[in-house]
Amino acid sequence: YDSKVWQEMIDMGWAGLNISEEYGGLGFGYVGLGQILEETGKTLTASPLISNVVLGTALIDLNGSESQKEILLSEIVNGNLITTAALDESNQHKPLDVKTTATLDGNEYVISGTKKFVLDGHIANQIIVSANTSKGIQLFVVPSESVGLNITKRIKMDHRNASDIAFEEVRVPATARLGADVDVSENLEKALDIARVCLSAEMLGAMQESFDRTVAYLKERQQFGVPIGIFQGLQHRAAHMYCEIELCKGLVLKALQTIDNNDSDLAKLASSTKAKCGEVLQLVTNEAIQMFGGIGMTDDEEIGFFLKRARVAQQTFGDYNYHYDRYAQICGF
C-alpha cells in the first residue's frame, strides 16, 4: 500500500465512483468501477479500493441513516476517511457466525470480541465491526484509536496486510451504531456480495494478465530449436485457459450489472461468479508456473506474484468450495 498512489486514485475520483452524487460521489456505478478493479488485478495494485470503496461504502450505504451516509460517504469520497469491515472471527469465512458482543450501557455500547482477516485493518481510520446485540447482528463504526482496540498486522502470502483486531470492552456512543436498531444480517450479506463481485473483477484482471504473459512466454521460450508454443499439448492447455477466462468475463460483467440494477438474484450471481473466478484463477496461475518452468518459482520472474495473489484472493470473502455450497443452498439443494 502506497499512500501517494492512493492519493492519486482519490484525485482521479476513484473513491467516489460507486457513491451517489448526492453524497459527493460520481454515481458512475459498479460496471465502471469493475473496469478499474480489473486493471488493478493486472498490475497487482495494493490499495484500499476493495476494503474501503467497495465493502465499507456498501455497508454504510445499505445500513446507515441519512445523516451517517452524508458524513461518512462524503469523507470517503474526499479521501479523509478509510474504512474497513471487521466481520470474520475464525480462519473460515463465516460472516454470520458472530460471537463478538455489543452491550448497551447508558448512552454507550461496550464491544468485546476478536475479528480476523480484516483487510487493511492497520490503515483504516474507522472500523465497521459486526456484533451481537439484543436485536441480533448489528454494525458499529469504531475509530481505530479507541481505547481497548488492539490491531495486529498480519502479512499474507501476497505480501499484503490483513489484521487481527481485538475489542476489549471498547466503548462507543450509541450513535456509532449504523442505522436503525434492527438485525442487519440480510444487508450484511448483500454488502459482502457486492464485495465478492468486485473482488472477482480484480481476479479477472489477474488471470487475464497471467494468461497473456504465459502465451507471450510460449512464443519466446525455445526448446529443441523451436518455440515451445508450437507443441500441440501446450496449445490445448492455452486454449482451455482462454475459454475459461471468457466465461469469467461474462459472469463478472453480468454480476456487476446486477449490482447497478439492484436485481434480486445478486446472491446467486455473486456466489457463482466468485466460485468460478476462484477456480479459473487457480487454474491459470498454476498453468502459468508449469509453462514458465523453474524460473516461474522465483521472485526474479513476476509470474509467481500472480500465483501468490491468487491464493489470498481465492480465500477472501469465501473460496470456491464455500460459494458452490452457498449457490446450491440458494437453489434449494
Side-chain angles (χ1 to χ4, degrees), residues 12-55:
M12 289 187 286
W14 292 9
L17 282 173
N18 55 328
I19 294 176
S20 170
E21 290 181 89
E22 64 180 303
Y23 304 120
L26 298 176
F28 193 55
Y30 283 92
V31 172
L33 178 59
Q35 295 178 54
I36 289 175
L37 291 169
E38 187 177 337
E39 293 303 314
T40 65
K42 291 180 179 179
T43 55
L44 298 179
T45 304
S47 76
L49 279 172
I50 294 292
S51 58
N52 181 33
V53 176
V54 176
L55 184 54

Side-chain angles (χ1 to χ4, degrees), residues 247-263:
L247 285 173
C248 289
K249 288 180 181 178
L251 276 169
V252 169
L253 179 58
K254 177 63 176 177
L256 290 167
Q257 291 171 337
T258 299
I259 301 173
D260 284 338
N261 297 333
N262 198 27
D263 290 342

Side-chain angles (χ1 to χ4, degrees), residues 59 63 87 128-130 138-141 176-178 184 188:
L59 289 171
N63 300 288
L87 305 175
I128 303 173
V129 57
S130 60
Q138 295 186 328
L139 298 172
F140 300 86
V141 182
R177 188 192 66 233
L178 272 182
V184 299
L188 175 57

